Amino acid sequence: MVLYDSATIGGSCSGSSSSSSSSKPPPLQQRQQTQQDIDGFLAGAGYRVRSSELRKVAQRLERLETAMVNSPADLSQLASDTIHYNPSDLASWVDSLLSELTQPPTCPSEFIMDPVSNQTVVSDAWTTAEPHMPQVHQNISYEQQSLNNQLTVVPAMEEDSGIRLVHMLMTCAECVQRGDFSLATSCLEDMQGLLTRVNTVCGIGKVAGHFIDALSRRIFQGIGGGSVNGGSAYENELLYHHFYEACPYLKFAHFTANQAILEAFDGHDCVHVVDFNLMHGLQWPALIQALALRPGGPPLLRLTGIGPPSPDGRDSLREIGLRLAELARSVNVRFAFRGVAASRLEDVKPWMLQVNPKESVAVNSIMQLHRLLGSDPNRNSPIETVLSWIRSLNPKIMTVVEQEANHNQPGFLDRFTEALHYYSTMFDSLDACTVQPNKALAEIYIQREIANVVSCEGSARVERHEPLSKWRTRLSGAGFRPLHLGSNAYKQASMLLTLFSAEGYSVEENDGCLTLGWHSRPLIAASAWQAVSDGTADFPA
Amino acid sequence: MVENHSREDHETGGENKEKRPKFFINDHVDILIEILERLDGPSLCVAASVCRLWCTIARNDSLWENLCFRHVSPPPSSVRSVVLALGGYKRLYTGCVRPVRSRLGRVRRATWAGDEVQLSLSLFCVDYYERLGGSNSNGRLVEKSSPSSLMFLCKPVNV
């Protein structure tokens, strides 16, 4: 993430590095040999500045620039009221403007200050008590401090504000966890002010913006999550589709799961795939094609797609099924489709899937199992119910792809911190992909996840991601044993990643499972499982 | 090299036209096809703009089939029917095989040659599926007129 590894941050914090702004003229030693007093280069441009004063003038120009950036309201005043010196006398001109804009600071010059306590002190010194004024204050006081040393660094406002944003986000989250909502609200206002001078198109600004939105949703709209989870099925499918196209995570999930299913179905003539979230069915064309070309000919393929019911009478599941059937017909694969409409996965009962005892079953869950982890003390744990009926189907293989993150911790602050790191990494990886028109929609898809993790609780919070190690324990405990995803899957995943011209993605093998990550932080994990057979299985293998 | 060969033939054909040409490549379509079979993708497209005969020949899918499977062991016969059903070899090559090969070519791994084609086929299939669009006229799915699952293979355009 930008804020932790940019070299200039270290420089600006210590205040002792000597990088200068690009407008600074070439080193003094060179020209002192050629010119006496007035600097030759600047004279050529029409400015008369003494060589001895060059450093001072440069510093003051930097201060003027930061001051102007921070208080645009004063600029109009400058234009009308001030007496301007002739700008060719650069030194006096800069001084005159500076004296108009700034006032001597009265606060102690600490770098990062607690925004709340700062406000009360500052309101005496300034006539307007705008919340963003303390930021100007802190920057100028910091600059004065470092002016005593050698050349100042142009305080890259971006990176300073980035760190400050992160600190403030943590403070706000902590307030929310404590229940101190008034403090959290003022934190929010500060952050929103800070956000106006950070680049929100990329980097920390964008991620912070989403988290600030999610926090304000939690504080002001409560944890019911109505607007977050209220997206229509059509919207969700559209966002999912753009997320599929903009970055490789879903493609990795689909191709890896398909490879595992293909290998598991080797030698079987009657196969049945159960998809827990059909969406547009983008996973299945590749499997149909691979089955069509497998040595020995294609099997009879049945696909059961589970999805939310469509509100306006349109049967979207059936439409997807028809498309897939047309594709299968083109490539001569015998195909049958069945749609099961259910708004929640735990409402599905095994009899709805109509599994034939003679066929080999594959269960495919792409980022669906974590939604079952919300525990309601009044009902049986939904995850256990679903896992037990999956097991009763005796599937040849169950492919599970889940986000590799720990977003189901009970403590809010821990969850918030983890989510901040995870989604920052994910946004970084998205930034590196080629610019496409649908990237914005992919970001909205991620933003909805963030909003759900941060601002919802109870049954409204469905994005309960758990890391691979926890899933391993859970699935082993439910009677499944892991299947190793072979080297073919690894090879295919590596090839797929190379196709995405973004450098930085990495596929790793983790004890038979594959993870896709950004710069060695795994973000999504794919694994395959088989039911441990015992004598009480309903369908003979 | 082969391309120069074919051009030379054409030129000598043109030169000799005044004095009773002995050899004009367009009279020998089988030789022409043999030559065109050995061209690479961009050259084949250029060849298609030479004249009408060359254009017709270059559109022949079997030329593009050779291009797709040039460096790999011959695929099973079932592949052809699948590829033809999904849109043909020319489309497979220009849409998938060529970008896949050029991108993977940077990371040259010998074991990948056959898998490149496999992966291209899978991506091609997803693209075909998107081109299918919706079958109902009242569904909003019909708006899939511009399949975009292969967008990530396209080079970004500097606007």
Side-chain angles (χ1 to χ4, degrees):
Chain A
M1 190 61 205
V2 174
L3 35 105
Y4 292 115
D5 55 17
S6 168
T8 50
I9 293 181
S12 63
C13 279
S14 63
S16 59
S17 72
S18 49
S19 66
S20 49
S21 69
S22 54
S23 58
K24 191 153 168 40
L28 298 171
Q29 296 86 353
Q30 264 181 342
R31 289 179 344 269
Q32 271 166 1
Q33 296 162 7
T34 54
Q35 279 284 354
Q36 268 304 325
D37 208 17
I38 304 296
D39 175 65
F41 286 89
L42 285 178
Y47 293 102
R48 296 172 53 81
V49 186
R50 291 206 191 82
S51 311
S52 46
E53 286 183 358
L54 275 171
R55 187 183 289 176
K56 259 199 311 185
V57 171
Q59 286 167 352
R60 287 198 201 131
L61 278 171
E62 287 171 16
R63 281 178 57 194
L64 179 64
E65 180 189 320
T66 14
M68 282 174 123
V69 163
N70 287 334
S71 51
D74 292 343
L75 283 182
S76 52
Q77 183 196 356
L78 270 181
S80 49
D81 292 347
T82 327
I83 302 170
H84 289 284
Y85 286 86
N86 184 359
S88 62
D89 184 0
L90 203 51
S92 353
W93 181 82
V94 165
D95 285 341
S96 72
L97 281 181
L98 268 181
S99 60
E100 288 292 326
L101 275 181
T102 66
Q103 297 183 22
T106 56
C107 293
S109 48
E110 283 178 64
F111 182 52
I112 292 176
M113 305 166 64
D114 184 12
V116 175
S117 62
N118 188 27
Q119 270 192 329
T120 51
V121 175
V122 169
S123 55
D124 299 337
W126 299 85
T127 49
T128 55
E130 293 169 43
H132 70 271
M133 284 313 227
Q135 318 307 339
V136 180
H137 225 47
Q138 291 167 14
N139 280 310
I140 293 184
S141 60
Y142 152 70
E143 275 182 75
Q144 283 222 319
Q145 207 182 15
S146 53
L147 273 176
N148 303 331
N149 312 334
Q150 312 99 324
L151 299 172
T152 54
V153 171
V154 174
M157 284 295 291
E158 298 284 320
E159 285 123 3
D160 292 352
S161 307
I163 301 184
R164 202 169 305 150
L165 262 180
V166 173
H167 281 267
M168 286 164 80
L169 276 169
M170 306 302 248
T171 317
C172 190
E174 203 191 350
C175 298
V176 169
Q177 169 161 292
R178 270 202 322 257
D180 188 351
F181 286 107
S182 55
L183 198 55
T185 314
S186 65
C187 253
L188 264 183
E189 285 165 7
D190 292 340
M191 285 196 286
Q192 272 154 357
L194 189 54
L195 209 54
T196 57
R197 63 183 63 84
V198 170
N199 182 9
T200 51
V201 173
C202 61
I204 184 65
K206 184 156 64 172
V207 183
H210 295 321
F211 275 89
I212 291 172
D213 282 342
L215 277 172
S216 64
R217 210 188 286 267
R218 188 186 180 105
I219 293 173
F220 298 121
Q221 293 176 25
I223 54 180
S227 49
V228 171
N229 297 340
S232 72
Y234 174 71
E235 270 176 29
N236 291 340
E237 283 176 15
L238 189 70
L239 293 177
Y240 188 84
H241 189 91
H242 285 111
F243 183 62
Y244 174 85
E245 285 167 19
C247 47
Y249 301 109
L250 287 180
K251 285 194 174 73
F252 163 78
H254 290 176
F255 275 77
T256 310
N258 282 346
Q259 185 67 29
I261 295 176
L262 187 67
E263 288 172 7
F265 279 166
D266 193 20
H268 293 89
D269 287 327
C270 229
V271 301
H272 185 168
V273 176
V274 178
D275 187 2
F276 276 359
N277 189 20
L278 188 64
M279 286 287 176
H280 284 161
L282 283 170
Q283 180 173 355
W284 307 115
L287 182 67
I288 294 175
Q289 172 259 316
L291 286 174
L293 292 178
R294 75 170 187 179
L300 164 65
L301 172 66
R302 288 181 55 206
L303 175 66
T304 301
I306 299 175
S310 21
D312 47 357
R314 222 166 39 89
D315 194 349
S316 55
L317 284 174
R318 188 167 162 271
E319 285 170 12
I320 303 286
L322 285 174
R323 256 166 90 182
L324 286 169
E326 191 177 329
L327 175 95
R329 198 179 51 232
S330 313
V331 297
N332 283 329
V333 174
R334 292 166 297 156
F335 180 78
F337 176 82
R338 187 182 171 75
V340 175
S343 46
R344 291 179 318 176
L345 195 52
E346 57 252 39
D347 295 336
V348 175
K349 303 281 179 289
W351 59 263
M352 299 176 186
L353 306 175
Q354 292 196 346
V355 171
N356 195 323
K358 291 202 188 65
E359 59 193 7
S360 314
V361 178
V363 175
N364 180 67
S365 157
I366 309 279
M367 308 195 299
Q368 295 305 301
L369 287 185
H370 63 252
R371 295 166 172 261
L372 303 169
L373 292 177
S375 56
D376 186 352
N378 300 332
R379 305 177 303 161
N380 291 337
S381 157
I383 182 74
E384 284 173 20
T385 320
V386 171
L387 284 178
S388 73
W389 68 246
I390 292 177
R391 194 150 168 267
S392 73
L393 297 176
N394 198 16
K396 269 273 162 303
I397 187 169
M398 173 170 73
T399 47
V400 174
V401 178
E402 286 287 331
Q403 288 95 334
E404 179 67 7
N406 201 355
H407 294 156
N408 199 18
Q409 298 162 77
F412 177 72
L413 184 59
D414 295 330
R415 212 162 72 224
F416 186 86
T417 317
E418 170 81 15
L420 192 56
H421 285 127
Y422 179 82
Y423 287 106
S424 307
T425 317
M426 183 167 269
F427 268 99
D428 275 351
S429 75
L430 196 60
D431 276 343
C433 291
T434 54
V435 179
Q436 294 168 1
N438 49 27
K439 243 213 263 190
L441 288 174
E443 286 173 15
I444 297 183
Y445 175 85
I446 305 177
Q447 185 193 347
R448 282 210 182 164
E449 265 186 32
I450 296 177
N452 192 282
V453 172
V454 170
S455 68
C456 297
E457 288 295 340
S459 58
R461 177 155 64 95
V462 293
E463 301 291 344
R464 295 175 180 263
H465 310 148
E466 282 194 349
L468 184 59
S469 45
K470 279 200 183 165
W471 282 112
R472 280 203 174 112
T473 322
R474 198 183 285 278
L475 287 170
S476 306
F480 291 91
R481 64 178 182 86
L483 288 176
H484 275 230
L485 298 169
S487 57
N488 282 334
Y490 182 83
K491 200 175 7 174
Q492 187 178 237
S494 313
M495 276 170 61
L496 195 60
L497 280 195
T498 317
L499 291 182
F500 270 85
S501 15
E503 304 284 328
Y505 285 106
S506 57
V507 177
E508 276 157 25
E509 197 250 354
N510 180 341
D511 202 13
C513 304
L514 288 184
T515 60
L516 171 61
W518 176 254
H519 282 133
S520 78
R521 155 85 212 233
L523 293 177
I524 190 168
S527 54
W529 303 83
Q530 195 175 44
V532 170
S533 57
D534 50 11
T536 61
D538 290 0
F539 297 111
Chain B
M1 247 194 85
V2 180
E3 196 182 346
N4 291 337
H5 220 39
S6 67
R7 287 219 190 102
E8 258 177 27
D9 280 347
H10 203 136
E11 276 164 11
T12 49
E15 255 185 288
N16 294 341
K17 254 199 159 155
E18 286 87 347
K19 32 174 179 163
R20 305 195 102 249
K22 294 193 194 112
F23 183 82
F24 187 37
I25 185 67
N26 283 2
D27 291 335
H28 303 267
V29 177
D30 47 349
I31 300 182
L32 181 58
I33 290 178
E34 284 290 322
I35 296 171
L36 292 178
E37 264 176 7
R38 286 156 175 76
L39 295 182
D40 62 345
S43 309
L44 201 49
C45 289
V46 168
S49 20
V50 167
C51 65
R52 255 179 258 214
L53 175 65
W54 285 41
C55 186
T56 319
I57 295 176
R59 286 224 187 101
N60 191 337
D61 227 21
S62 57
L63 285 179
W64 298 92
E65 179 178 358
N66 278 343
L67 207 50
C68 287
F69 294 118
R70 185 167 287 176
H71 301 294
V72 297
S73 51
S77 49
S78 47
V79 173
R80 180 177 295 171
S81 55
V82 168
V83 176
L84 289 180
L86 297 179
Y89 278 100
K90 183 172 181 196
R91 203 177 187 129
L92 169 64
Y93 181 78
T94 49
C96 299
V97 173
R98 185 157 166 259
V100 166
R101 261 196 204 146
S102 72
R103 290 214 186 164
L104 291 181
R106 289 185 224 138
V107 192
R108 246 307 145 214
R109 292 186 208 186
T111 52
W112 282 6
D115 299 311
E116 281 175 7
V117 183
Q118 285 288 359
L119 188 57
S120 313
L121 274 173
S122 302
L123 291 171
F124 190 50
C125 199
V126 180
D127 178 58
Y128 170 77
Y129 176 70
E130 283 196 301
R131 277 183 272 131
L132 274 182
S135 40
N136 287 355
S137 52
N138 55 344
R140 279 175 277 196
L141 287 167
V142 186
E143 286 158 17
K144 285 262 174 286
S145 55
S146 54
S148 35
S149 69
L150 295 180
M151 282 279 294
F152 74 102
L153 288 175
C154 302
K155 293 205 180 100
V157 179
N158 259 335
V159 181

